[in-house]
Structure formats: structure tokens, C-alpha cells
Amino acid sequence: MRTELQKIEGEFTQRAATESDNDAKLHALARARFAEGGFGPQWNYHSMVFLKRQVISRILYQDMLYRQILDVPGVICEFGVHWGATMSLLVNLRGMYEPFNHSRRIVGFDTFSGFVDVDAKDGGFSNAGDYSTSQGYEAQLAELLSLHESFSPIPQIQKYELVKGDVSATLPDWLEKNPQAVVSMAIFDMDVFKPTRDALELVLPRLTRGSLLVFDELNCPHFPGETRALDEIVGLGNLRLRRFPHQPYCAWAVWGE
Ligand SMILES: C[S@@+](CC[C@H](N)C(=O)[O-])C[C@H]1O[C@@H](n2cnc3c(N)ncnc32)[C@H](O)[C@@H]1O
């Protein structure tokens, strides 16, 4: 049976009913296991039993991207952090691939209260407040990211930063305070037009040849604004966009290629 695009708790999904049912069963099993005490001292490792193919695909995708910037200096900027899944992953990938590169700061920009501006170019699916987190979540995320850093070398140097607020307002300020910052990878995952356009325009002068531009909703019918922002600022024909087999709407390009 076909399932229409739907929004659940402010997040879009195109899951089939069977997938939603099975996802709910997995969630119930996870809650039950943790309510019964979890898995013992290796709980984190054993928690892998709950990871779905879709999530494992995401890990493989981020791994593929990260390996491409190993010889490119600079920070990673993620525009659109949400609950911090990608940021946590990036912190851990840094710990694996370049444990001593404490110049690879990972900077996440988010309102933590969801979408701010929804433009006519966003196609009518999105609303202000979609993809919000719970009140004060950024403090919990900071604690989580510090813990992740603690499992890798040089934990005494904090190598992540969370910048709260509308990126159209916070990024100019951040760039001014960080005139040295080269951006080795810019991840655009705010889904909607205006902040994507503003962030892209502001970040371009900080890229070097070899930096990665990464888009999470390219060619995506329910989030047309991200593609339109790229087209407006760079021009679709001016990049060699690539895709990864497991991620339908993700695309990336090497700047200067
Ligand atoms: C799809 S989520 C990001 C998911 C995240 N990258 C991940 O991999 O889990 C989109 C995020 O963009 C953020 N966002 C949207 N518009 C924004 C704006 N104007 N300024 C800052 N963040 C914004 C939302 O708050 C939301 O958390």
C-alpha cells in the first residue's frame, strides 16, 4: 500500500505502514530492555542490536565524506544539528581518523527550536517550528559531545562548538570572531531556503579547493528550498554533484573540482 508523505512530531517521513509498525516494535523492545537494566557493562556495544539499516547507511555515508577531508585543513560546519546525530558521529570519526588533529573543530549551528523562516520557495510543506528539540537540549548535547570527545586523545581541548540561534544572524558573527577559520566541510541540513542561501553565501569565501559542500535534501520534492538556494548562490551547473547509493536525497561536491 502506498503511503503519502506525512509529518510526525514536526519531522517528515515517507515510511510505509509496515515500516512504522516495525519501527515502533523496535522502539518498544529498546525501552523494555533498558527498563530491565540494559545490557551490562558493554551496553553501548550491545545497543547496536537496535540500529536499523537506514541508520547504518547514514553512518557509512558520513564515514565516506569524512575520509575525503583528511588532507584538507579546516573546521567542519554543520548547519542544522537537530538532536546531534551527525555531530556525534563526526566527533567520533575525528577520534578515529585524526585523533591528534585538534584543529579540526566541529561547529554546529542550530536554533534548537526548529525552522524559523519558511519561504514560498520551500513549496508549502514546511512550517516554522518543525524539527524543534526539547527546551534546553543544547546543554545536554554539549555534555554528550564532551563525553564522546573523552574517549579519544586530547580530550582536554574542546573541539566542538554549538552556536544557538538563526544561522542568518549567528553565522556573520561567528565568522567575524573566527577570521582564521578555513572550512574543510560545510554540511547544509537546514532543509529550507533562506537560512541555506544565507549560510552558503557566507561560507563560500572560507572554502579552499578540496573542501566539501554537502547537501542533505538535494533534488527533494518536499524540501525544494535547499536546491533552490544552491542554484541561486552557486548554480547547479557550476558544481560536479555526486551521490551515495544509500542516501536518496544527499549530494556532495568537492569545491574547486
Ligand atoms: C533535518 S534537521 C538536521 C538534522 C541533523 N543534521 C542530523 O543529521 O541529525 C534540520 C535542522 O535545521 C535547523 N534549522 C532550520 N532553520 C534554521 C535556521 N534558520 N538557523 C539555524 N538552524 C536552523 C532546525 O532547527 C533543525 O534542527
Side-chain angles (χ1 to χ4, degrees):
M1 201 213 306
R2 288 176 194 270
T3 309
E4 293 297 318
L5 182 70
Q6 41 176 326
K7 211 191 284 185
I8 302 174
E9 295 178 31
E11 289 194 49
F12 281 99
T13 173
Q14 283 179 291
R15 282 178 196 162
T18 46
E19 188 187 345
S20 291
D21 287 351
N22 289 339
D23 188 273
K25 284 179 191 160
L26 202 54
H27 196 182
L29 280 175
R31 280 196 302 250
R33 171 86 328 252
F34 283 103
E36 281 176 41
F39 293 112
Q42 299 292 351
W43 67 272
N44 200 281
Y45 172 77
H46 300 304
S47 297
M48 265 202 290
V49 296
F50 296 118
L51 290 188
K52 298 195 294 190
R53 184 258 305 156
Q54 289 86 336
V55 175
I56 298 168
S57 296
R58 186 78 179 176
I59 297 172
L60 296 179
Y61 174 61
Q62 295 297 343
D63 176 73
M64 180 278 296
L65 293 175
Y66 201 107
R67 282 186 280 114
Q68 295 192 55
I69 59 157
L70 292 178
D71 64 354
V72 183
V75 303
I76 298 173
C77 290
E78 189 188 26
F79 300 108
V81 172
H82 204 204
W83 299 104
T86 297
M87 267 198 87
S88 308
L89 196 48
L90 291 169
V91 164
N92 283 301
L93 288 168
R94 179 186 52 208
M96 290 173 228
Y97 286 119
E98 39 182 10
F100 304 108
N101 183 7
H102 53 82
S103 74
R104 185 82 73 200
R105 288 166 60 217
I106 300 170
V107 190
F109 297 82
D110 206 298
T111 59
F112 295 103
S113 53
F115 295 170
V116 185
D117 299 299
V118 179
D119 194 278
K121 291 178 182 161
D122 290 314
F125 289 99
S126 301
N127 293 300
D130 286 351
Y131 290 86
S132 61
T133 53
S134 50
Q135 183 80 21
Y137 178 71
E138 63 279 6
Q140 282 174 43
L141 179 57
E143 197 178 342
L144 270 166
L145 295 174
S146 292
L147 276 170
H148 283 301
E149 283 194 341
S150 78
F151 297 111
S152 293
I154 326 185
Q156 74 278 16
I157 301 179
Q158 183 178 315
K159 300 174 288 298
Y160 71 85
E161 185 179 348
L162 294 174
V163 183
K164 183 177 175 170
D166 181 350
V167 79
S168 303
T170 59
L171 184 57
D173 185 51
W174 188 87
L175 289 168
E176 196 181 313
K177 285 187 181 136
N178 292 276
Q180 79 294 340
V182 172
V183 176
S184 57
M185 174 155 68
I187 303 172
F188 297 91
D189 192 6
M190 295 182 291
D191 306 343
V192 286
F193 175 75
K194 183 176 180 297
T196 307
R197 183 199 61 194
D198 293 349
L200 190 52
E201 190 168 36
L202 288 162
V203 95
L204 287 185
R206 297 298 182 93
L207 303 179
T208 183
R209 285 176 191 229
S211 296
L212 251 54
L213 284 174
V214 180
F215 300 92
D216 216 66
E217 267 75 33
L218 202 93
N219 185 41
C220 180
H222 43 286
F223 289 120
E226 199 172 293
T227 309
R228 295 193 68 177
L230 173 62
D231 196 29
E232 202 167 288
I233 299 299
V234 180
L236 290 172
N238 293 322
L239 289 175
R240 161 69 163 97
L241 286 165
R242 291 158 199 270
R243 67 176 300 276
F244 188 66
H246 317 312
Q247 299 289 297
Y249 294 128
C250 293
W252 53 278
V254 178
W255 186 245
E257 186 182 82

